[in-house]
Amino acid sequence: MTPGASPGAGRPFVSFAEPEGYDERARPRPLGVRIRPRVAMAAACVVLGLGLIGGSVTGSWLVGEPGDGGAQDTYATAGSLWHSVPVDQLFPRTVIGKGAGPGGADRTWTRIAVAPDSGCANAFDPLLRKALAPVGCERLLRATYIDATQSHVTTVGLLFTDADAAAMRALDTRFAKQGLDRRTDLMPRPYAPKGTLAAGFGDEQRASWTVSVLTDAPVVVYAVSGWADDRTVDEPESAEEAMRSGSTTAVAQAGLGHEAQGLADRVERALRKNVGPATEQSS
């Protein structure tokens, strides 16, 4: 069953409460009575303190550290999108990447295949599967795209985990400190359906990739790119390495790092939009 195909499933609705105001009941003041300066100052400090506390709680979700019931509810909602949102909203048929290519060039990707939702057993190299094991695998969604010139193919994936926010933060920290997203033995595998332009996109054709562990949703976003002519790649490079200024490798010169990173970023943005505006962040 493809994502969004379950009957009766509707798009999740997330509401975010507005900060409460203060009226005459919260700050009693009989009409016609003059308030002493010291009392007025104390009242102002109370209001300011409450405002700072409210701001810190609201901001905790925005920085990826859910700290209250509403944030936890939103986190849980993000984890349920794999079965409650239509596939075209998670993986749009056409993705526009303004400035996503080398030198700020625009990119356009067209979806050529969507994989049935599945587990994670065959989607990752063994060591990457082991690295992701602490957060579990609730569902894996994948789609493969081709660029406008039909020169490059890219598989992008959304791994929905079983983990809470603390476990996701721990995994993100580990990836960052140990550079796990740059190791060639920790690459995601492409989705290469038969009868498509990506049919020959196998493990040996992987050229560049990116893996991003989200901390404000139980999701790992990844993408892996290669040439559409099925050529093998002896030295794949992570998107971070291939996008470095001045890099002269074949992978970098072809813009395959930009292909993987640009498409992953935009699929992540689509994911956030389906949860609510409060979860949207720049990628």
Side-chain angles (χ1 to χ4, degrees):
M1 181 177 297
T2 57
S6 58
R11 177 172 176 171
F13 176 80
V14 181
S15 62
F16 294 85
E18 295 292 331
E20 295 183 0
Y22 297 88
D23 56 16
E24 67 277 10
R25 293 186 178 181
R27 297 183 298 171
R29 184 181 64 176
L31 294 177
V33 178
R34 183 177 180 182
I35 299 177
R36 296 179 181 179
R38 182 174 298 177
V39 175
M41 181 176 295
C45 290
V46 171
V47 173
L48 178 60
L50 290 173
L52 291 174
I53 292 172
S56 65
V57 172
T58 302
S60 66
W61 167 255
L62 298 179
V63 298
E65 295 181 358
D68 60 11
Q72 293 172 1
D73 290 344
T74 307
Y75 184 91
T77 298
S80 68
L81 293 181
W82 64 269
H83 64 73
S84 60
V85 173
V87 65
D88 287 348
Q89 293 182 25
L90 293 176
F91 298 124
R93 293 179 182 274
T94 301
V95 177
I96 306 298
K98 292 185 179 297
D106 294 341
R107 282 288 186 268
T108 301
W109 298 280
T110 301
R111 194 185 74 200
I112 58 177
V114 176
D117 57 13
S118 66
C120 300
N122 298 314
F124 307 112
D125 281 351
L127 288 180
L128 179 56
R129 185 169 67 249
K130 182 178 180 180
L132 295 173
V135 295
C137 175
E138 173 68 20
R139 270 298 189 276
L140 177 65
L141 310 183
R142 295 173 292 170
T144 297
Y145 288 79
I146 193 164
D147 73 318
T149 67
Q150 297 191 352
S151 300
H152 309 130
V153 286
T154 303
T155 292
V156 61
L158 296 171
L159 164 60
F160 289 82
T161 75
D162 298 318
D164 59 17
M168 294 300 290
R169 289 194 296 270
L171 183 64
D172 177 58
T173 298
R174 183 186 175 203
F175 264 70
K177 287 185 176 181
Q178 299 181 16
L180 301 185
D181 57 340
R182 299 189 299 275
R183 286 176 43 174
T184 56
D185 56 350
L186 294 171
M187 284 193 291
R189 288 173 172 167
Y191 172 60
K194 297 179 179 179
T196 70
L197 294 173
F201 186 26
D203 289 353
E204 299 300 319
Q205 284 71 36
R206 293 176 292 183
S208 190
W209 76 97
T210 181
V211 178
S212 177
V213 180
L214 305 189
T215 57
D216 53 359
V219 180
V220 177
V221 182
Y222 71 86
V224 55
S225 62
W227 277 278
D229 61 5
D230 305 341
R231 75 180 71 175
T232 60
V233 180
D234 294 329
E235 296 183 2
E237 291 182 300
S238 69
E240 179 181 338
E241 295 170 336
M243 293 172 63
R244 286 177 181 169
S245 178
S247 180
T248 59
T249 65
V251 172
Q253 292 292 307
L256 286 163
H258 290 80
E259 294 288 312
Q261 189 66 60
L263 193 51
D265 285 348
R266 282 148 186 85
V267 167
E268 179 183 332
R269 294 176 192 177
L271 174 76
R272 294 181 185 281
K273 287 180 180 178
N274 281 287
V275 179
T279 64
E280 293 181 34
Q281 298 175 355
S282 299
S283 298

